[in-house]
Amino acid sequence: MVRGHAKEQAQQRNAKKQSESKQGISQIEARQAGLKVVCPLCKAPATGSKALQLHYESKHPKETPPI
Ligand SMILES: [Zn+2]
C-alpha cells in the first residue's frame, strides 16, 4: 500500500505542475491576444490598442487615447 500511496502523491504533484504550467500558457496567450488593455477612464476592457482607440472615439470623444 505504501508504494500505491507514493504513486498517488506523485500524480497529485504532477497534476499541480500541469495546472501551473497551463496557467502560465494561458497568461501568455492572453498577452498575445492583447486582452490586457483597459480603458483608464472607465476601466472597460479592450482587446488591443486599436479597440481602445475606437472605444475612446465612441465613449470619450473629447479625450485623447494614451496610445
Ligand atoms: Zn472608457
Side-chain angles (χ1 to χ4, degrees):
M1 284 308 278
V2 174
R3 280 185 74 166
H5 186 65
K7 201 179 172 187
E8 210 170 90
Q9 278 188 328
Q11 280 177 343
Q12 282 177 350
R13 224 175 297 149
N14 279 342
K16 200 186 170 191
K17 243 187 211 175
Q18 280 180 346
S19 72
E20 278 171 1
S21 66
K22 259 185 206 166
Q23 279 181 352
I25 288 165
S26 69
Q27 277 177 0
I28 291 164
E29 279 175 352
R31 217 174 297 157
Q32 282 176 340
L35 292 169
K36 289 276 176 180
V37 185
V38 172
C39 172
L41 295 174
C42 68
K43 308 294 179 193
T47 50
S49 56
K50 269 193 178 178
L52 189 62
Q53 274 184 322
L54 289 171
H55 169 83
Y56 261 74
E57 280 172 20
S58 62
K59 300 285 179 184
H60 322 291
K62 287 174 185 174
E63 304 290 333
T64 310
I67 303 155

